[in-house]
Amino acid sequence: MKITVVGTGYVGLVTGACLAEMGNDVLCLDVDPNKIRILNEGGIPIHEPGLDLVVARNVQAGRLAFTTDIERAVAHGTVQFIAVGTPPDEDGSADLQYVVAAARNIGRLMTDYKVVVDKSTVPVGTADKVRAAIADELAKRDFKVDFAVVSNPEFLKEGAAVDDFMRPDRIIIGADDEQAILLMRALYAPFQRNHEKLLVMDVRSAELTKYAANAMLATRISFMNELALLAEKMGADIEHVRRGIGSDPRIGYDFLYAGCGYGGSCFPKDVKALIKTAATVGQGLKVLTAVEDANDAQKLVLVEKIVQRYGADLTGKRFAVWGLAFKPNTDDMREATSRVVLAELFKRGATVTAYDPVAMDETKRIFGDEPRLSYAANPPDALKGADALVIVTEWKEFRSPDFARIRADLKDPVIFDGRNLYEPSVVVAAGIDYLPIGRAQMTRA
């Protein structure tokens, strides 16, 4: 099948590469010539484990190509995936200008039947706007040709996106055009040979499903984070609580880990957008408003623990920070807790030596030449000259550290752990004070 993917960001590149992997002829379009240059030179503009190998293999096989030529891209694919960004607008709603612009380009240049697929995360009603934009461009040309608009939301986890696409839990198709549904079934057949995973529904339900899924996951995280704060005050251990409630099959263990707040390109943006969408029809979403407020507060918990120990004025204090990306296995810094932690530490006069396996370049882009921020080549180097260690992202390489070295290198042997990586008794036995979230705040006798 000939497929065009508009947008070579996170969703678009993964979608194009994985569809090419199954034998389809895929052309990826982007208006950013720098991105296309990087891709055509064999590079990858985003960090996603395994994606580089899939892209290289399919480019070499001739099934995957990249272009800035809009006319070529519209002519190429019977199926046109729109996978452009939908950044939050000033009021929190999703900005659809790039989605509508992509739709207008298709309507302006198409000459035969197209299935236009909204792959970007978009509010309910976006398919209607895409359909209207295409119809308007066709009318301007006085050209009549059939087309269909489909909602096919992505459910990709950053850091595991290739595996998620190749082995999906479910494939949501929102459509009312039988020919389009048949084409989408054929396209996704190789991804569900084991059992049927494709769910066909109306377009608006498909659009809402994506937002509802992310909102539910964000709710679980904020619930556990608030419960962790309660557990800490009442002398309970949130890890024991997590295992206790997670063993109930009605609840399960996923997304029950307490920490220092969620971030990334999806949860914060989608919760805001769903609240805003609901407001446009006069429906308040009280639970989600609380989820958002709780998450904003949770991002300050580590700093509050630091202030409680050292006071509000941190002038002269240096902190080692392990982890900058919003989660492991990505360099994505969007809405990352580290951004809040660093800004708050700087505001109080502290300096920071930070380490992250892949996100330091992105951090440098965000913070620029911030004089109070330096970078380490590895986790132990970040400890040198630091008063304390702050853990913000749960990278695997942080899970089994040399506690004796941490104790020796820190001026004040203490770990502020925003991800509850260690067993408190083990850390304290090594002569280090341990301040996790929702667990016993253990200090040396």
Side-chain angles (χ1 to χ4, degrees):
M1 198 178 295
K2 285 182 176 287
I3 297 165
T4 293
V5 179
V6 183
T8 60
Y10 180 77
V11 173
L13 190 55
V14 171
T15 298
C18 291
L19 290 174
E21 181 79 351
M22 289 301 186
N24 296 290
D25 181 1
V26 180
L27 179 63
C28 292
L29 168 73
D30 205 294
V31 295
D32 183 347
N34 189 51
K35 275 188 182 179
I36 297 302
R37 177 188 58 78
I38 291 170
L39 289 162
N40 282 329
E41 290 175 357
I44 300 288
I46 59 174
H47 178 85
E48 181 60 40
L51 181 59
D52 54 343
L53 298 177
V54 179
V55 169
R57 183 163 57 243
N58 286 280
V59 168
Q60 187 174 15
R63 294 189 296 265
L64 180 61
F66 306 100
T67 187
T68 57
D69 187 336
I70 296 172
E71 188 170 357
R72 176 189 170 195
V74 173
H76 177 84
T78 299
V79 180
Q80 302 263 326
F81 281 90
I82 297 178
V84 296
T86 54
D89 220 331
E90 289 182 8
D91 62 357
S93 62
D95 185 349
L96 298 177
Q97 63 172 311
Y98 305 113
V99 172
V100 173
R104 287 197 173 278
N105 283 334
I106 294 168
R108 183 168 55 85
L109 296 167
M110 64 187 287
T111 57
D112 55 3
Y113 177 77
K114 302 289 183 188
V115 176
V116 181
V117 182
D118 286 334
K119 196 69 174 170
S120 304
T121 299
V122 293
V124 176
T126 299
D128 295 338
K129 295 179 180 179
V130 168
R131 187 178 292 110
I134 295 171
D136 182 54
E137 291 297 327
L138 289 172
K140 288 177 183 177
R141 297 162 53 198
D142 194 24
F143 189 83
K144 292 185 178 180
V145 63
D146 289 336
F147 68 94
V149 178
V150 171
S151 174
N152 173 218
E154 54 86 13
F155 297 96
L156 307 176
K157 298 186 294 292
E158 289 195 47
V162 173
D163 192 58
D164 284 348
F165 198 103
M166 300 301 286
R167 285 178 280 275
D169 297 317
R170 75 286 206 198
I171 301 163
I172 303 294
I173 303 296
D176 53 16
D177 181 285
E178 286 303 319
Q179 185 177 351
I181 293 170
L182 287 173
L183 279 171
M184 296 303 287
R185 284 191 182 279
L187 180 62
Y188 280 112
F191 298 92
Q192 49 172 346
R193 295 186 66 188
N194 184 273
H195 65 275
E196 179 72 25
K197 300 176 182 177
L198 194 141
L199 302 173
V200 178
M201 60 187 70
D202 63 277
V203 174
R204 285 180 170 247
S205 294
E207 290 171 333
L208 183 56
T209 295
K210 167 62 178 181
Y211 275 118
N214 278 353
M216 173 61 80
L217 297 176
T219 300
R220 286 172 69 100
I221 294 170
S222 279
F223 172 77
M224 286 303 289
N225 283 339
E226 288 216 307
L227 212 59
L229 300 181
L230 177 62
E232 197 174 302
K233 283 183 167 58
M234 301 191 73
D237 188 325
I238 195 63
E239 273 298 293
H240 295 164
V241 175
R242 179 187 67 81
R243 290 194 288 268
I245 65 174
S247 60
D248 185 332
R250 296 170 301 174
I251 298 173
Y253 292 101
D254 293 338
F255 287 84
L256 291 185
Y257 288 93
C260 51
Y262 63 76
S265 62
C266 296
F267 289 2
K269 175 173 70 73
D270 293 353
V271 168
K272 280 184 173 67
L274 187 52
I275 292 170
K276 184 65 180 178
T277 298
T280 63
V281 293
Q283 178 64 53
L285 296 179
K286 297 176 183 177
V287 171
L288 284 188
T289 300
V291 165
E292 186 178 39
D293 291 343
N295 189 61
D296 289 342
Q298 198 70 17
K299 290 182 177 182
L300 293 168
V301 167
L302 281 174
V303 177
E304 289 166 359
K305 288 179 181 290
I306 292 168
V307 168
Q308 188 175 2
R309 185 172 180 105
Y310 298 115
D313 185 358
L314 299 175
T315 303
K317 295 291 183 184
R318 175 175 290 276
F319 294 92
V321 171
W322 285 2
L324 297 164
F326 88 92
K327 63 179 282 189
N329 299 319
T330 181
D331 62 351
D332 196 340
M333 291 284 293
R334 285 173 288 185
E335 301 284 344
T337 297
S338 65
R339 298 176 68 157
V340 175
V341 171
L342 292 180
E344 289 293 323
L345 291 177
F346 297 153
K347 187 168 71 176
R348 288 168 169 78
T351 57
V352 170
T353 302
Y355 170 77
D356 188 283
V358 300
M360 290 194 289
D361 285 346
E362 182 64 10
T363 308
K364 291 172 187 176
R365 187 189 68 78
I366 293 166
F367 283 92
D369 297 325
E370 170 57 61
R372 291 162 293 188
L373 177 59
S374 58
Y375 301 90
N378 52 59
D381 278 358
L383 302 172
K384 295 174 182 176
D387 289 275
L389 170 60
V390 183
I391 299 175
V392 184
T393 312
E394 64 275 33
W395 286 94
K396 286 182 179 178
E397 65 183 276
F398 303 155
R399 292 183 183 274
S400 299
D402 184 343
F403 288 118
R405 182 168 184 177
I406 292 175
R407 182 188 180 196
D409 285 348
L410 293 178
K411 295 176 183 176
D412 176 24
V414 57
I415 299 175
F416 299 92
D417 188 355
R419 300 300 175 185
N420 293 348
L421 292 186
Y422 313 124
E423 192 58 41
S425 59
V426 173
V427 181
V428 173
I432 303 169
D433 289 356
Y434 187 56
L435 305 177
I437 292 176
R439 311 192 72 184
Q441 307 296 290
M442 299 189 69
T443 58
R444 294 155 286 165

